[in-house]
Amino acid sequence: MSSDFSSSHSSPALGIALIGAGVVGGGVLDILKQQQHLLQQRCGHILNITAVVKRDLTLDERLTPYRDLLSNDWRSAVANPQTDIVVELIGGCTTAAECIRAALAAGKPVVTANKALLAETSNTADDILAYAATQSLPIAHEAAIAGCIPVVKTLRESLAGDSVQAMYGVINGTCNYILTAMEAEQSTFAAALEKAQALGYAEAAPAFDIDGVDTAHKLLLMTRIAFGCHVCMADIPLIGIRDLDYCDIVYARQFNYRIKLLAVAKRVANGTANGPVELRVRPAMVPAAHIMASLEGALNAVTIHSQFSGETLYSGAGAGAHPTATAVVADIVDIARRYKDKRYQSNNGGDSIADNSLTLQQHFSTPFYLRVRVLDKPGVIADIAQILAKQNISIEAINQEAIAVDTVDLIILLHESEDAKVEASIAAIMQLAAVTQPVVALPIERLN
């Protein structure tokens, strides 16, 4: 049995098994139902739900129309002869990997939003992608990177004739919400996180987001597509936002910057066409005049610099039921357009990863912001300057802000410096008796 959304039978039907009916899965059902005629016009097929798989079989208002299709047996849903496309939205790695493999073995294309599976478990992901290539089947994953922002399609299609030089992304809505809430409400990180959790922007266990892991997953997927190279999570240095203080946001504003958790993939110019690529995820100062600095709340944005197109920027909701579901449905439509006589027509061998000679740059150079909280004593600035000088790091500017009767923040802007030399300087600065807190260091990204 299937749920037919259209009274018209002029178009061939395609069956969709929805494996996972949570927030995003529910959004997919909404869009497929409300946009049924438009989707049929755009892909040339009637899109029918053949199965809805959910661990908890409790019905809610959204699932009631599919009560006869509801089960907790994904294997039967995938094996159903009426199922042509499998949409995996259960998350996690183990069961999701089994589900995707089973779909590919049955000759059925897959749509997923599972960035953890495709990024974190690299060996599993490589095996699955390689298997998909042998089957000439896609694992479409637009929704895994930035919600409704079409990053995958942009990199694969719109910029297919161009050479990507750099990508910068604010691609975690939870972190962006926390940072903008800290600024707007003059609050601590802890208070902003608590509010984000109360509003549903942050999970009860938020480490995955605030420590940068989610952002690194997305950057990994973008890098594989943009540069055609094999990247693992261990290749991406990452620092989250939990150690930031409201005062850092204030100081950034004084220098016409805003702080964002930034994902960076940047080709290093070294005189060759395929120079090494820098990868990193960490809080960074971005120019306040740049459109990426203006992102508020849970909005996401990705800016791509390419050889012939220059800078292009893509912004929108990076999470939520309907924004993410639109990306899932877009992948379904893209696959449906390539269906003929119940067979997926592919000329590109699926979503294989092409290893090449591209190398990863272990260190990077940018200007830096340092915040050093010290006891207000003579000679402290001279001591810090001397430590920086030993690493051949020059100072652009120093501000001093009183914190208490005998304590000040030294806000130091450095000229372009290598991150390893900055880290070595910080280690030495922390040995000074006058330093009262860990030093905060943020790269200043020009986004060009």
Side-chain angles (χ1 to χ4, degrees):
M1 182 177 180
S2 65
S3 177
D4 191 339
F5 291 135
S6 175
S7 59
S8 170
H9 297 280
S10 60
S11 301
L14 286 180
I16 299 165
L18 183 65
I19 315 299
V23 173
V24 176
V28 170
L29 292 175
D30 286 344
I31 294 172
L32 290 177
K33 182 176 182 180
Q34 294 177 31
Q35 301 284 76
Q36 53 185 299
H37 298 297
L38 176 64
L39 295 174
Q40 181 178 337
Q41 292 171 6
R42 289 183 172 174
C43 72
H45 293 271
I46 301 166
L47 300 178
N48 291 337
I49 298 295
T50 58
V52 177
V53 176
K54 190 171 180 281
R55 291 188 182 93
D56 177 6
L57 297 182
T58 303
L59 286 173
D60 56 29
E61 183 178 350
R62 181 176 282 168
L63 293 176
T64 298
Y66 310 97
R67 61 164 62 87
D68 294 335
L69 306 176
L70 188 65
S71 78
N72 55 14
D73 184 0
W74 65 262
R75 290 180 175 82
S76 295
V78 170
N80 185 341
Q82 295 185 49
T83 294
D84 301 298
I85 302 171
V86 174
V87 179
E88 182 276 306
L89 298 175
I90 55 177
C93 293
T94 304
T95 302
E98 293 175 6
C99 175
I100 291 173
R101 285 180 188 276
L104 297 172
K108 300 176 182 183
V110 173
V111 176
T112 182
N114 197 331
K115 53 189 168 288
L117 172 62
L118 296 176
E120 186 73 54
T121 55
S122 59
N123 291 333
T124 299
D126 292 349
D127 290 345
I128 289 175
L129 292 173
Y131 183 53
T134 65
Q135 300 293 91
S136 293
L137 291 169
I139 302 176
H141 59 278
E142 185 69 76
I145 294 180
C148 66
I149 304 174
V151 176
V152 172
K153 287 181 174 61
T154 295
L155 292 170
R156 282 199 177 139
E157 299 172 16
S158 301
L159 297 176
D162 211 338
S163 176
V164 174
Q165 302 300 308
M167 299 182 294
Y168 303 93
V170 175
I171 46 180
N172 183 275
T174 299
C175 289
N176 202 54
Y177 176 85
I178 290 171
L179 291 174
T180 54
M182 288 173 67
E183 181 173 4
E185 300 173 20
Q186 303 180 20
S187 69
T188 64
F189 170 82
L193 171 60
E194 185 177 353
K195 182 176 181 181
Q197 290 171 319
L199 294 174
Y201 288 120
E203 301 288 344
F208 195 74
D209 291 310
I210 64 176
D211 290 335
V213 178
D214 175 79
T215 300
H217 283 162
K218 296 169 181 176
L219 179 64
L220 185 153
L221 299 179
M222 290 168 58
T223 301
R224 284 179 171 175
I225 299 167
F227 299 111
C229 61
H230 190 286
V231 183
C232 299
M233 280 292 288
D235 296 322
I236 304 178
L238 61 101
I239 299 173
I241 65 171
R242 66 167 74 230
D243 292 330
L244 291 175
D245 193 276
Y246 170 67
C247 69
D248 295 306
I249 292 173
V250 173
Y251 300 152
R253 277 295 200 184
Q254 291 176 0
F255 290 100
N256 293 317
Y257 294 103
R258 293 186 81 187
I259 298 174
K260 298 293 179 183
L261 181 66
L262 201 66
V264 177
K266 182 178 180 181
R267 192 185 296 278
V268 181
N270 67 346
T272 66
N274 292 316
V277 171
E278 298 174 0
L279 297 177
R280 58 183 172 276
V281 170
R282 61 189 295 169
M285 309 235 301
V286 301
H290 194 280
I291 191 169
M292 193 169 283
S294 68
L295 293 173
E296 302 289 341
L299 284 176
N300 281 194
V302 174
T303 181
I304 301 173
H305 298 256
S306 51
Q307 184 175 355
F308 298 106
S309 302
E311 180 183 11
T312 53
L313 186 137
Y314 313 86
S315 180
H322 289 144
T324 305
T326 59
V328 173
V329 174
D331 280 338
I332 293 172
V333 169
D334 185 53
I335 290 172
R337 284 172 173 161
R338 302 182 191 184
Y339 245 87
K340 184 178 181 181
D341 299 327
K342 292 292 185 178
R343 292 180 61 84
Y344 178 74
Q345 308 297 306
S346 173
N347 295 318
N348 60 14
D351 293 327
S352 61
I353 296 172
D355 285 328
N356 61 21
S357 59
L358 200 70
T359 58
L360 298 178
Q361 183 87 351
Q362 297 302 310
H363 296 287
F364 67 95
S365 294
T366 67
F368 273 86
Y369 155 101
L370 301 183
R371 172 170 62 83
V372 189
R373 186 159 293 180
V374 299
L375 297 176
D376 190 6
K377 293 182 176 180
V380 175
I381 293 178
D383 290 340
I384 293 173
Q386 186 176 24
I387 289 171
L388 294 170
K390 286 182 179 178
Q391 295 291 337
N392 293 317
I393 295 175
S394 61
I395 296 172
E396 178 182 343
I398 297 180
N399 280 5
Q400 181 171 306
E401 298 284 345
I403 298 301
V405 174
D406 60 348
T407 305
V408 297
D409 275 341
L410 300 178
I411 303 96
I412 307 171
L413 297 192
L414 307 179
H415 286 291
E416 185 164 321
S417 309
E418 186 179 289
D419 64 319
K421 292 184 177 181
V422 173
E423 290 172 5
S425 298
I426 290 173
I429 290 170
M430 287 301 301
Q431 299 303 310
L432 298 176
V435 177
T436 64
Q437 285 188 1
V439 175
V440 173
L442 302 176
I444 300 172
E445 301 284 0
R446 306 300 191 193
L447 305 181
N448 55 27

